[in-house]
Amino acid sequence: MSNSFDKSAILDSFLDEVTSYLPEIEANLDRLQQRPDDAETIEETYRRTHTIAGSAAMMDFYALALVA
């Protein structure tokens, strides 16, 4: 069994996922400027960025994973 996979086959799904999370992350960051102690918003933002980081690492986009 090979450990490699065709990244191009799932690149569109990766981009769709990341693109769908960005507006929510941006809105959450705006919300946190007003209420920096909002635990629910912090947790939701963390989950989204953590998902992006994991997906980026899986796609070998290590710089993006590091930033996320």
Side-chain angles (χ1 to χ4, degrees), residues 27-64:
N28 286 349
L29 292 175
D30 289 341
R31 193 172 305 121
L32 287 169
Q33 286 182 328
Q34 303 300 317
R35 298 185 320 241
D37 59 343
D38 184 344
E40 184 176 328
T41 300
I42 292 169
E43 291 171 8
E44 183 62 30
T45 304
Y46 174 80
R47 279 193 297 274
R48 296 294 186 211
T49 56
H50 184 72
T51 298
I52 291 172
S55 296
M58 181 184 73
M59 295 292 294
D60 295 330
F61 299 147
Y62 296 115
L64 177 58

Side-chain angles (χ1 to χ4, degrees), residues 1 5 10 13 16 18 23-24 43 48-49 51 68:
M1 177 188 265
F5 65 96
I10 61 171
S13 294
D16 288 343
V18 170
E24 183 178 343
E43 291 171 8
R48 296 294 186 211
T49 56
T51 298

